[in-house]
Structures are given as structure tokens and as C-alpha cells.
Amino acid sequence: MSRMVTQIISTMETQVSNGPSGTSLPNGPVISTNGATDDSKTNLIVNYLPQNMTQEEFKSLFGSIGEIESCKLVRDKITGQSLGYGFVNYVDPNDADKAINTLNGLKLQTKTIKVSYARPSSASIRDANLYVSGLPKTMTQKDMEQLFSQYGRIITSRILVDQVTGISRGVGFIRFDKRNEAEEAIKGLNGQKPLGAAEPITVKFANNPSQKTGQALLTQLYQTAARRYTGPLHHQTQRFSLIPPFGKGPDPNNSTKPILDNLLNASYGVKSSPSLLPRFSPITIDSMTSLAGVNLTGPTGAGWCIFVYNLSPEADESVLWQLFGPFGAVTNVKVIRDFTTNKCKGFGFVTMTNYDEAAMAIASLNGYRLGDRVLQVSFKTSKQHKA
DNA sequence: TATAATT
């Protein structure tokens, strides 16, 4: 089980822009002559969202750009689990454009989200994802795209690499715009040797990632349950009580602990965080919070409120998302602005769901140099509240 | 030899 956690595969992906089609208007919803609304310039698809991100967090993140007409985090119909992508339809096409420019590539926990225009929904674009294996280890993502591009428009491509060495694992994925393009690629390339390759490649339709093995689903259950608990870290394993499918010995608590430790450590999101981060140390975090957090407001409803001081007058919400997003679930960010000038008054607030992630963010970002300023970051206290 | 891309 713990092996599955360490098996996270690092990948590279081309960011393909799905440009909106049709003529462009400066503002407002586009109404075609038949009365149907054309949302091609306002509707976005967001991919590679963290597994634990909620609909509320999703809305909060994209709502910080502009007024949203509608948004939806897509979930598995049966399990209710996030499928890792969603849609945001803005009122104003300019905000959709702004969202792509400011949020595409944003790092959230272990993910780098992708924000692009949604293609018009249709049956012809479904099931157009191919799984490719037996690729020469020297073949790059560009090489692979070049090979497949003769069969149609490529939406995404990816070659899986060993996380430690960075060397290609010889397998990858190609998503075409249309299913029939994917079919043609299979006909043309399955069993063929790429230019100069020793072995033929296998090209077939990819399995649907939502069709998981029982064990993978159980892992996911554990992750979800573990992240929901927001107490101090050293209490986490002893308070945790999801046992039956995992316990092999007479004391399921003991046999479960190492698994949980792995899952919890994997959930800190430290790996993808800025290089300035110190190594994770539960003792440091705990002593810091117990000494400095005398007047902690605590997890009031939504989560743990963090006070961020010494932001520049130009700071905006996206800065706070970028700073705190890598550490875990962020439910809300707010930059406090002067009423008349609309400039940041030098501080803001961030709400995070989980105590351990909030503590990690504070430990890492307090004293962080942002431009020519040094940030002060702490749990919000009642004293600061009055100020 | 397996990633969360169409509501």
C-alpha cells in the first residue's frame, strides 16, 4: 500500500491552448442568430486539480478573477470523488482571458493546474485518449507529438518518466481533439517502429482513469479521511479510526499507522513547493505554533485563518493563491485594500482547511522575501483581529 | 504498461 504513495509519477506535458472559435466581441455574452448563447469565449476547462479540492475552493479560486456565471467541479457519479477537472463559465470574456493568463500553471499542492478554453461539448471529442507503450527511451514528448500529429490535432501529450532519474519510462499518452483522429492513429501507428527504433510501439485507447482498482479506491478513501482531520500532527494517527479493510493484525491501529504516516507525509505538498522550503519537521512546527499562537482563533467553521503582513500595494489575490496553494487546501484568500485607492493596505488573509498544512505554510513563508519585502506570516490572533 | 480532458 505505501508503495502506491511513493509511486507518484512525474510527468511533462505540453500546454496546448484551446483557442475559442468564432468571431470575437469586446464584451458580454455572445448571442448567435438562432438565440443560443455562445460560451466559447467565457467557458473554461480546468485540469489537474488537486484530488481534495472542493467545489467551494474551486469557486473561490476562480471567483477571485471576476464574476462567474456558473462553475462545476466534475465528480464521479458513484463515489462522489473529484475527477480532477472542472468548468468555469465567466460572465465577461475578458475575465476568462484573465483567468487563463493568471491561473494557468498555478501550483496547488502536488499539481500544476491547467486553465484553457473548453471546446464545445460533443460526443466526437470523447474517448480520444491514447495509451502508447514501447516508446524508445530517447524519444521526447516533441518527437512523439510529431509522430502522432499527422493524424489530427493533439490536445495533450505526456511521456511518463521515472521520478528519480527523470528518464522516460517508454510509455505515454496522446489525447486527440476527435475520437476518429485517435482511431486513425491506432490504425497507422500500432505495431509500427518509429524512425530508427528497434522495437515497435503499441498504440491503443487509454483506460478510463475513473475505473479504479479496489485498492486504489481504498487508498483514496484514506487520503480523503486523513486530510479531513485538522488537529495537531502528533495526534493525527491516534485519533484516526478508519480501520477494517486494512488491518491485518489483531490491533488494526498499529498495522495502519505506517500507511497513514506515508499518506500524510505525501499530502503535505512539500515536493512541489518552492526550493526555499526547509525540510519538514513536526517538532519545529509544533513548538512554533504552541509558543506563538497564544491567541489562536482556531478552526472557526471554514478552517484556519492566516495573517499575511507586508504585502506590496500592488498585491492581489493571485499572489496569495500562488504562495499558499502549494501547501494544501486553501478555501479562501483576501487582500485588504484601501477603499479609495483600491491598493493593498499591506496585508491579507488566507484560510486553510487543515492545521498541519497551515502550519507548514506559515513555517515556510514567514520571513519569505517577496520582491523587496519580507513577509510576516502567522495564524491570525485575536489581538490582530482588533487592530 | 497507466494520467484524473467535456458538464
Side-chain angles (χ1 to χ4, degrees):
Chain A
M1 173 70 76
S2 61
R3 218 170 63 85
M4 306 181 73
V5 177
T6 58
Q7 225 177 27
I8 298 163
I9 315 284
S10 69
T11 57
M12 301 265 287
E13 183 175 317
T14 306
Q15 300 282 306
V16 181
S17 145
N18 307 325
S21 51
T23 52
S24 112
L25 289 177
N27 259 309
V30 181
I31 314 290
S32 68
T33 47
N34 66 9
T37 56
D38 171 13
D39 59 12
S40 68
K41 294 170 198 65
T42 57
N43 195 28
L44 304 180
I45 184 165
V46 184
N47 292 293
Y48 313 116
L49 292 166
Q51 175 57 231
N52 49 58
M53 185 175 235
T54 66
Q55 165 79 28
E56 288 67 36
E57 290 163 13
F58 184 58
K59 187 174 183 181
S60 174
L61 173 58
F62 284 88
S64 69
I65 299 295
E67 189 185 345
I68 290 172
E69 192 276 324
S70 63
C71 74
K72 182 175 191 178
L73 178 67
V74 179
R75 296 176 175 282
D76 184 283
K77 282 195 181 79
I78 298 158
T79 66
Q81 292 284 329
S82 164
L83 294 183
Y85 66 93
F87 296 90
V88 181
N89 195 13
Y90 284 100
V91 173
D92 186 339
N94 293 319
D95 288 333
D97 183 66
K98 188 175 161 195
I100 291 173
N101 287 321
T102 64
L103 297 178
N104 183 40
L106 177 70
K107 288 181 173 59
L108 293 175
Q109 298 168 241
T110 62
K111 305 283 189 178
T112 301
I113 71 169
K114 180 178 176 184
V115 185
S116 54
Y117 288 107
R119 292 169 287 163
S121 184
S122 92
S124 65
I125 67 171
R126 296 186 56 172
D127 304 313
N129 197 21
L130 296 179
Y131 174 74
V132 187
S133 57
L135 293 165
K137 302 281 199 260
T138 53
M139 183 177 263
T140 66
Q141 187 184 20
K142 244 195 192 114
D143 296 335
M144 185 174 70
E145 283 201 5
Q146 213 150 43
L147 181 61
F148 281 83
S149 62
Q150 58 187 307
Y151 297 97
R153 178 187 172 206
I154 295 168
I155 300 301
T156 58
S157 72
R158 162 175 288 187
I159 286 180
L160 303 186
V161 300
D162 182 282
Q163 188 165 40
V164 180
T165 66
I167 295 170
S168 164
R169 297 177 55 186
V171 302
F173 293 88
I174 294 270
R175 179 179 298 276
F176 279 101
D177 183 36
K178 296 290 194 300
R179 182 180 169 93
N180 67 302
E181 295 169 343
E183 280 168 355
E184 290 307 309
I186 292 174
K187 285 182 199 162
L189 292 175
N190 183 38
Q192 297 295 121
K193 282 186 210 165
L195 225 71
E199 300 299 323
I201 61 173
T202 300
V203 183
K204 54 193 199 182
F205 282 110
N207 293 336
N208 192 326
S210 67
Q211 264 120 58
K212 286 207 160 174
T213 66
Q215 219 179 26
L217 278 170
L218 290 173
T219 303
Q220 212 173 50
L221 265 181
Y222 252 124
Q223 299 230 27
T224 308
R227 304 185 105 276
R228 242 171 224 148
Y229 177 64
T230 57
L233 179 73
H234 59 281
H235 289 157
Q236 214 144 22
T237 49
Q238 72 192 56
R239 290 279 297 270
F240 199 81
S241 62
L242 226 191
I243 307 299
F246 302 93
K248 286 175 183 161
D251 182 354
N253 265 313
N254 283 341
S255 62
T256 306
K257 190 173 183 299
I259 297 169
L260 279 175
D261 285 346
N262 281 331
L263 289 170
L264 291 168
N265 284 328
S267 76
Y268 287 124
V270 177
K271 282 176 207 143
S272 72
S273 302
S275 54
L276 56 103
L277 296 189
R279 216 50 245 173
F280 176 65
S281 163
I283 294 170
T284 305
I285 289 176
D286 209 63
S287 55
M288 174 199 70
T289 51
S290 60
L291 289 173
V294 198
N295 289 318
L296 286 191
T297 43
T300 51
W304 300 85
C305 190
I306 297 166
F307 177 65
V308 186
Y309 183 72
N310 213 13
L311 293 168
S312 86
E314 314 308 322
D316 62 2
E317 272 72 10
S318 80
V319 170
L320 293 178
W321 282 110
Q322 285 170 43
L323 284 170
F324 288 82
F327 292 94
V330 175
T331 56
N332 195 38
V333 303
K334 184 159 188 65
V335 167
I336 305 302
R337 294 184 168 85
D338 181 274
F339 186 78
T340 52
T341 67
N342 211 31
K343 298 278 186 187
C344 173
K345 289 171 80 171
F347 64 100
F349 297 98
V350 174
T351 307
M352 295 187 71
T353 306
N354 303 308
Y355 173 88
D356 57 321
E357 293 169 348
M360 188 67 200
I362 291 168
S364 304
L365 295 174
N366 185 36
Y368 177 66
R369 183 171 156 178
L370 186 62
D372 56 353
R373 293 157 175 274
V374 176
L375 297 183
Q376 293 174 37
V377 183
S378 65
F379 281 111
K380 183 184 167 192
T381 66
S382 52
K383 190 179 170 187
Q384 280 155 3
H385 186 66
K386 285 173 200 159

